[in-house]
C-alpha cells in the first residue's frame, strides 16, 4: 500500500506529540549553503560562475548579454549569465499558441485576484471561481523559479503578478539553466508576459546569495520570492535580514485531504498524487473517519502510481510521506490538519459539513472546498498565489501576496461551469510542466461532469 496507515482512533487531542515530526530541511545542507553564500558575497560573479559550472554543468562566464543573440547557443560554454532581451521576447513566438493563451489567461486571472486584494472587503468572484481574501511595494524584487530538469513558468507568473500589483518597478528573475545552458521558452515567455526584462540563468544557493548581496552582474534586490529545493530554502534563511524573504519557508510540496463519507475515492487519490509528483521531502496525507473510503483511496493511489510515467519518483515520495490517517470524526480530522499546517488543505466532505470545517481551519497555506476544487486549479489559474508556506510555517505565515513584497488563508471554490471553461488551460499548463497528475485531476472531473450531463439529458433531472 502506497499510503502508510496512522490510526488515531481513541487518541484525544492535541496531536502534536503523536504526529510524525517534519524533517528540518536545513540541518543537512547548512554548512554547504553557508560556504556558497560566503563565497558569492566576497567573490561575486566568479563564485556564481564556478558554482553554476559545478552544479548545473553550464559555463555562464560569457560576455554580458545584449539585445542580440546569446554569446553561445546550445553548448553551455561561454554563455552569458543574463538572458538577452531579444531571446525573452522571441520565446513568445516560439511556444505553442495554446500554451501562450493559457499563460495569458493564468496571468490575467492572477493579476485580477491580487488587484482585488486592495479593494474593500468582499469575495473575489470571476467566471465561477470564488475566493475569500488583502495589499503594498519595495523598490526591487528578485524571483526564484525552479529550473534545470523541470520548468515552472507558472511560478514566474505567480511571483511577478503580486509584485506588479504592489507597485514594484524592477523585477529580476533567476532560473537554473538546462544542461545546454538555455532557459526554456515557456519560462522566458512567462517572463515576457509579466514584463520582466532582467533574467539570469543561475540557480541554487548561489543565485539567492547573488540577489541578496549583489554582484557585478546581478544588482541586489530588496525582497526575494519563489520556491525551491532545500538548498534554496536554506540560502533564503541565511540571507534573511540582509534582504526580505517573501512568504514563509516555501519548500517541497504538501497536501492534506480531509475526506468524509461519499467523497469520490478517485478524486481524493489523484489529488494526493498531484502533490507527490513534485518530488521528495513533502507530504501527502489523507485524513478520514471512514474506513471504507480509506481502503478505496489507498487502492486507487496504488493503481495511479503503478500506471504513472513518474512511478519511481512517486513511490519514493509516498514511501516517506504518504499517510492515510484514520480518526474518530470530523473534529479530530481538523485537529490533525491544523497540527500539520499543510501547504494545501482540501475539504472533500458533504456540503453541509464544509462550512463548519472551514470555520475550524487555523493553519493552512490554502484551502480548497468541495469535489470540484482541486489544489491543481489553485496551482495555475484560480487567482491566489501558489507560493505557499510549507513545513508547518503556515502556523504563522501566509501565501505570497502584494504586501509581502501579512497571516492570510485563501479558500477557493470552483463551480462545475468554471472547471469546464478554465480546466483546459490548466491541462495545457500542467502538460507543459510535465506533471500528468495535475492534468489528470482536471480530466477526471471533466469526465465526471460529462457523465452527469448525460444523465440529465436522459431523464431531465440531476
Amino acid at each position: 500500500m502506497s499510503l502508510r496507515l496512522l490510526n488515531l482512533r481513541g487518541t484525544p487531542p492535541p496531536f502534536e506529540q503523536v504526529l510524525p515530526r517534519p524533517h528540518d530541511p536545513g540541518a543537512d545542507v547548512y554548512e554547504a549553503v553557508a560556504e556558497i553564500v560566503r563565497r558569492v558575497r566576497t567573490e561575486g560573479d566568479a563564485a556564481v560562475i564556478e558554482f553554476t559550472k559545478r552544479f548545473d554543468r553550464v559555463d555562464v562566464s560569457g560576455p554580458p548579454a545584449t539585445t542580440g543573440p546569446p554569446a553561445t547557443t546550445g553548448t553551455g560554454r561561454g554563455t552569458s549569465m543574463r538572458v538577452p532581451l531579444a531571446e525573452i521576447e522571441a520565446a513568445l513566438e516560439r511556444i505553442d499558441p495554446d500554451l501562450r493563451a493559457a499563460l495569458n489567461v493564468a496571468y490575467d486571472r492572477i493579476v485580477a485576484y491580487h488587484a482585488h486584494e486592495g479593494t474593500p472587503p468582499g469575495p473575489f468572484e470571476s467566471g465561477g471561481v470564488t475566493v475569500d481574501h488583502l495589499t503594498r511595494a519595495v523598490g526591487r524584487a528578485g524571483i526564484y523559479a525552479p529550473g534545470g530538469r523541470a520548468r515552472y513558468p507558472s511560478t514566474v507568473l505567480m511571483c511577478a503578478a503580486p509584485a506588479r500589483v504592489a507597485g514594484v518597478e524592477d523585477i529580476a528573475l533567476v532560473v537554473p539553466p538546462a544542461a545546454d545552458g538555455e532557459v526554456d521558452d515557456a519560462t522566458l515567455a512567462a517572463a515576457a508576459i509579466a514584463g520582466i526584462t532582467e533574467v539570469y540563468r543561475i540557480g541554487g544557493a548561489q543565485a539567492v546569495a547573488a540577489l541578496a548581496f549583489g554582484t557585478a552582474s546581478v544588482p541586489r534586490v530588496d525582497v526575494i520570492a519563489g520556491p525551491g529545493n532545500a538548498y534554496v530554502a536554506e540560502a533564503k534563511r541565511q540571507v534573511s535580514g540582509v534582504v526580505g524573504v517573501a512568504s514563509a519557508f516555501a519548500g517541497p510540496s504538501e497536501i492534506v485531504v480531509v475526506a468524509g463519507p461519499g467523497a469520490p475515492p478517485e478524486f481524493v487519490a489523484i489529488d494526493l498524487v498531484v502533490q507527490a509528483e513534485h518530488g521528495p521531502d513533502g507530504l501527502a496525507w489523507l485524513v478520514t473517519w471512514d474506513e471504507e473510503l480509506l481502503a478505496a483511496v489507498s487502492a486507487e493511489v496504488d493503481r495511479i502510481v503503478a500506471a504513472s510515467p513518474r512511478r519511481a519518483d512517486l513511490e519514493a515520495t509516498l514511501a516517506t510521506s504518504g499517510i492515510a490517517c484514520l480518526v474518530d470524526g470530523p473534529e479530530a480530522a481538523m485537529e490533525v490538519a491544523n497540527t500539520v499546517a499543510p501547504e494545501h488543505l482540501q475539504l472533500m466532505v458533504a456540503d453541509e459539513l464544509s462550512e463548519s470545517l472551514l470555520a475550524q481551519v487555523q493553519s493552512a497555506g490554502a484551502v480548497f472546498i468541495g469535489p470540484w476544487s482541486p489544489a491543481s486549479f489553485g496551482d495555475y489559474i484560480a487567482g491566489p498565489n501558489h507560493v505557499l508556506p510549507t513545513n508547518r510555517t503556515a502556523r504563522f505565515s501566509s501565501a505570497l501576496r502584494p504586501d509581502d513584497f501579512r497571516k492570510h488563508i485563501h479558500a477557493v471554490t470552483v463551480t462545475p461551469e468554471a472547471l469546464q471553461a478554465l480546466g483546459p488551460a490548466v491541462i495545457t499548463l500542467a502538460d507543459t510542466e510535465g506533471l500528468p497528475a495535475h492534468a489528470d485531476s482536471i480530466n477526471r472531473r471533466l469526465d465526471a461532469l460529462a457523465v452527469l450531463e448525460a444523465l440529465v439529458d436522459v431523464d431531465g433531472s440531476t
Side-chain angles (χ1 to χ4, degrees), residues 89-409:
E89 295 171 339
L92 283 173
E93 305 302 323
R94 291 195 296 263
I95 62 172
D96 184 273
D98 287 343
L99 173 57
R100 181 170 179 172
L103 289 169
N104 274 301
V105 168
Y107 184 69
D108 288 346
R109 290 184 59 82
I110 299 165
V111 166
Y113 170 80
H114 285 294
H116 179 81
E117 287 183 306
T119 63
F124 170 78
E125 298 180 18
S126 174
V129 181
T130 303
V131 183
D132 285 281
H133 81 237
L134 281 169
T135 352
R136 291 177 190 140
V138 298
R140 181 171 165 78
I143 293 175
Y144 189 100
R149 294 189 306 164
R151 53 180 178 171
Y152 292 97
S154 59
T155 295
V156 177
L157 303 181
M158 287 286 179
C159 292
R164 291 298 188 203
V165 170
V168 178
E169 295 184 0
D170 295 332
I171 300 177
L173 169 65
V174 295
V175 57
D180 61 0
E182 302 302 318
V183 176
D184 79 280
D185 283 350
T187 300
L188 294 178
I193 286 171
I196 300 174
T197 62
E198 193 178 331
V199 180
Y200 301 92
R201 53 178 118 239
I202 56 175
Q206 65 270 25
V208 173
L211 289 174
F213 299 113
T215 71
S217 296
V218 185
R220 66 179 297 172
V221 301
D222 301 308
V223 167
I224 299 175
N229 62 20
Y231 288 87
V232 171
E234 177 57 24
K236 288 194 291 184
R237 285 188 201 264
Q238 293 190 22
V239 302
S240 179
V242 175
V243 64
V245 176
S247 191
F249 177 85
S253 193
E254 306 169 343
I255 190 168
V256 169
V257 180
V258 173
E266 66 274 19
F267 288 5
V268 177
I270 190 63
D271 292 345
L272 291 169
V273 174
V274 159
Q275 303 309 322
E277 79 174 350
H278 275 294
D281 299 327
L283 60 84
W285 283 39
L286 163 66
V287 183
T288 185
W289 51 98
D290 186 332
E291 293 186 54
E292 290 185 3
L293 177 65
L294 186 150
V297 170
S298 295
E300 182 64 17
V301 168
D302 289 343
R303 283 192 288 270
I304 295 172
V305 170
S308 174
R310 302 180 67 154
R311 176 175 180 176
D313 291 337
L314 290 175
E315 288 178 337
T317 299
L318 292 173
T320 58
S321 61
I323 289 180
C325 183
L326 186 64
V327 295
D328 288 322
E331 290 190 1
M334 294 311 297
E335 285 277 356
V336 171
N338 283 321
T339 303
V340 175
E343 176 187 20
H344 304 92
L345 172 61
Q346 286 190 216
L347 302 180
M348 212 171 293
V349 297
D351 290 344
E352 59 270 19
L353 186 58
S354 62
E355 185 174 345
S356 66
L357 293 193
L358 180 59
Q360 296 177 50
V361 174
Q362 295 297 321
S363 299
V367 185
F368 298 86
I369 305 166
W372 310 111
S373 308
S376 58
F377 205 92
D379 283 344
Y380 292 113
I381 215 164
N385 218 280
H386 79 193
V387 181
L388 299 166
T390 64
N391 202 248
R392 297 192 179 179
T393 57
R395 293 178 295 112
F396 53 82
S397 192
S398 315
L400 183 67
R401 51 203 314 119
D403 57 355
D404 268 321
F405 252 109
R406 319 179 180 167
K407 176 178 170 177
H408 304 275
I409 298 174

Side-chain angles (χ1 to χ4, degrees), residues 66-91:
T66 64
T67 56
T72 302
T73 302
T75 64
R77 302 193 193 100
T79 301
S80 64
M81 190 181 299
R82 182 169 177 172
V83 178
L85 176 58
E87 190 175 344
I88 299 172
E89 295 171 339

